[in-house]
């Protein structure tokens, strides 16, 4: 990776910088990630905690996960953007939601997890009619 990955929350109050290549970039279909992202999956990048710089005021939320770990999620107290998290299942690592990057096209997931929880219609999405912007309803 030539340059750091820059991102942050929707309102700009909590910027972050990922200083290295992620240890893993995955698409997660767990119920926790569905609820966290509000979408059919969460694209996330895993880093060593020392490789992420984040500033600004964060709020935190702890919850047990599908894998029987405890996950601490960090989000912006102003915009509510979910930015990162840590879990007892991956000690010393932090995950960053790929959608919070200024340019999320710079990362490509290399694995999918919790496949039994994948929504049955997800594979057919690429065949749907596409629009450049919002469609008329």
């Amino acid at each position: 990776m030539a340059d750091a990955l820059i991102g942050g929350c929707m309102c700009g109050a909590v910027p972050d910088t990922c200083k290295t290549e992620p240890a893993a970039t995955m698409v997660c279909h767990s119920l926790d990630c569905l609820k966290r992202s509000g979408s059919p999956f969460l694209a996330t990048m895993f880093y060593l905690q020392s490789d992420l710089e984040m500033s600004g005021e964060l709020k935190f939320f702890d919850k047990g996960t599908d894998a029987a770990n405890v996950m601490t999620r960090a989000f912006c107290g102003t915009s509510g953007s979910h930015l990162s998290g840590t879990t007892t299942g991956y000690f010393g690592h932090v995950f960053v939601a790929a959608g919070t990057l200024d340019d999320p096209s710079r990362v490509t997931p290399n694995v999918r997890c919790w496949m039994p929880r994948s929504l049955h219609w997800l594979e057919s999405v690429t065949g749907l009619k596409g629009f450049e912007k919002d469609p008329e309803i």
Side-chain angles (χ1 to χ4, degrees):
M1 181 172 67
D3 298 315
L5 294 170
I6 309 296
C9 65
M10 190 178 294
C11 71
V14 183
D16 61 48
T17 302
C18 305
K19 301 183 288 185
T20 64
E21 289 283 336
T25 303
M26 65 181 70
V27 169
C28 183
H29 298 280
S30 73
L31 183 58
D32 294 304
C33 284
L34 268 66
K35 294 283 188 179
R36 179 186 182 277
S37 68
S39 66
F41 58 83
L42 175 66
T44 188
M45 306 165 300
F46 279 78
Y47 290 92
L48 291 174
Q49 288 178 336
S50 60
D51 291 334
L52 175 67
E53 293 177 354
M54 189 173 284
S55 60
E57 188 175 337
L58 290 168
K59 302 280 185 176
F60 299 93
F61 173 68
D62 291 340
K63 182 187 174 295
T65 68
D66 293 340
N69 296 307
V70 175
M71 186 170 292
T72 301
R73 293 162 177 86
F75 59 95
C76 172
T78 301
S79 67
S81 299
H82 288 258
L83 299 166
S84 66
T86 58
T87 175
T88 56
Y90 293 99
F91 182 76
H93 287 82
V94 59
F95 68 86
V96 177
T100 65
L101 295 175
D102 292 348
D103 183 5
S105 69
R106 289 192 51 206
V107 297
T108 302
N110 54 18
V111 68
R112 292 169 70 186
C113 59
W114 289 89
M115 290 302 295
R117 296 272 176 103
S118 179
L119 298 176
H120 71 277
W121 51 263
L122 190 58
E123 300 300 328
S124 64
V125 169
T126 57
L128 297 176
K129 182 177 181 180
F131 296 87
E132 279 189 40
K133 297 186 179 179
D134 295 333
E136 290 188 31
I137 297 177

